[in-house]
Amino acid sequence: MNVIDFSKANDDIWKTVCKHVDNSVVFIDKGTAECLHWSNGVGILRLMDHGALAVKTLSSFESGSSDQTKAVFIVTSCVTHIMLKVISDIVQNSKFRHCVVLTSADGSIHSLSAYGSTETGSGRETPFNTIKQQLLVWMGNRNYTAEVHYVPIFMCFITSFAFVTPPLADLYPPLSYTFDLILEKANRPKFDKRSIESVSDLTLSLLPLRDRKSVV
């Protein structure tokens, strides 16, 4: 039987993050901040030790200074709608020439958010490539560098044998309103009838889009 070493897996994730932060301003969202906060007090120091110039809140009110040319955005959700607008505000108010987005939502989740399906479909640009092109536009020069990578940041260890998942705090257990929405959907004529009597009967396809996008 294979046993997953979650502690090592989590450490490998942060090693991947640290490969990108050298000589950069790092902007982190709430979920990332929580994961760093509970990482035995060394989370932000680890980023700084790998060359990060500063660590800031991912907010439209933040930006880089005129001499800071690289930014890393760490996002524990889809990079769409409000989050995309926040990144746009930061980039356009800075002088970055190299932007890296690290998101905990993979390409299929971004496709689900953008197109309502996990498949990109024929003729559709992949969501990550779309984000890269937008970053280049916001930086003002298509010869600059833009990267988007899937890095599943979602857990932090509070003891040697227990971990929590701050970015998923609002996902489970489903609240009563979520269950009511699912039951309402199940009563529609074209819905595939099945027995839904309790939370244990729920599957991913039955969750509202908002909740499906939160699953990484």
Side-chain angles (χ1 to χ4, degrees), residues 17 25 35 52 54 60 65 73 76 98 106 113 122 139 157 195 200:
V17 172
V25 184
C35 287
S60 293
S65 61
F73 302 92
T76 54
H98 185 178
D106 68 10
S113 179
S122 177
M139 285 189 285
F157 283 79
S195 176
S200 62

Side-chain angles (χ1 to χ4, degrees), residues 142-160:
R142 291 190 176 276
N143 292 320
Y144 288 168
T145 303
E147 304 175 52
V148 182
H149 302 285
Y150 166 56
V151 183
I153 298 170
F154 67 94
M155 61 182 170
C156 53
F157 283 79
I158 53 177
T159 72
S160 59

Side-chain angles (χ1 to χ4, degrees), residues 3 36 52 69 74 82 84 102 119 147 152 168-169 176 184 187 201:
V3 178
L36 288 171
T69 59
I74 307 179
I82 295 177
L84 203 58
L102 306 178
E119 301 295 330
E147 304 175 52
L168 305 180
S176 58
E184 180 183 344
N187 290 326
D201 297 321

Side-chain angles (χ1 to χ4, degrees), residues 25-57:
V25 184
V26 182
F27 298 89
I28 60 175
D29 67 359
K30 181 180 178 181
T32 305
E34 286 293 327
C35 287
L36 288 171
H37 174 75
W38 293 104
S39 297
N40 298 320
V42 299
I44 291 180
L45 291 178
R46 184 173 185 177
L47 297 180
M48 303 297 284
D49 287 343
H50 281 80
L53 302 176
V55 179
K56 299 184 177 185
T57 302

Side-chain angles (χ1 to χ4, degrees), residues 16-210:
T16 298
V17 172
C18 288
K19 290 178 181 178
H20 294 281
V21 303
D22 185 39
N23 201 35
S24 70
V25 184
V26 182
F27 298 89
I28 60 175
D29 67 359
K30 181 180 178 181
T32 305
E34 286 293 327
C35 287
L36 288 171
H37 174 75
W38 293 104
S39 297
N40 298 320
V42 299
I44 291 180
L45 291 178
R46 184 173 185 177
L47 297 180
M48 303 297 284
D49 287 343
H50 281 80
L53 302 176
V55 179
K56 299 184 177 185
T57 302
L58 188 51
S59 163
S60 293
F61 299 103
E62 295 285 2
S63 63
S65 61
S66 59
D67 61 338
Q68 294 172 333
T69 59
K70 181 182 177 184
V72 175
F73 302 92
I74 307 179
V75 185
T76 54
S77 64
C78 281
V79 186
T80 56
H81 308 302
I82 295 177
M83 184 56 65
L84 203 58
K85 178 63 168 61
V86 170
I87 293 177
S88 169
D89 290 340
I90 294 173
V91 173
Q92 293 188 77
N93 288 320
S94 305
K95 302 293 183 181
F96 300 134
R97 297 183 180 183
H98 185 178
C99 286
V100 181
V101 174
L102 306 178
T103 171
S104 295
D106 68 10
S108 64
I109 299 300
H110 278 81
S111 293
L112 178 65
S113 179
Y115 308 122
S117 168
T118 56
E119 301 295 330
T120 55
S122 177
R124 288 177 177 170
E125 192 170 35
T126 63
F128 280 8
N129 192 54
T130 298
I131 296 169
K132 286 192 287 185
Q133 296 305 315
Q134 289 175 309
L135 287 169
L136 292 174
V137 170
W138 298 332
M139 285 189 285
N141 191 324
R142 291 190 176 276
N143 292 320
Y144 288 168
T145 303
E147 304 175 52
V148 182
H149 302 285
Y150 166 56
V151 183
I153 298 170
F154 67 94
M155 61 182 170
C156 53
F157 283 79
I158 53 177
T159 72
S160 59
F161 55 86
F163 68 87
V164 293
T165 57
L168 305 180
D170 296 331
L171 181 59
Y172 285 108
L175 301 177
S176 58
Y177 88 92
T178 303
F179 196 65
D180 291 341
L181 287 175
I182 293 170
L183 291 180
E184 180 183 344
K185 180 180 178 182
N187 290 326
R188 295 175 185 173
K190 294 184 180 180
F191 189 78
D192 180 21
K193 298 295 184 180
R194 67 188 72 191
S195 176
I196 307 175
E197 297 178 353
S198 67
V199 170
S200 62
D201 297 321
L202 299 182
T203 61
L204 179 61
S205 62
L206 293 174
L207 293 177
L209 180 60
R210 179 188 67 84

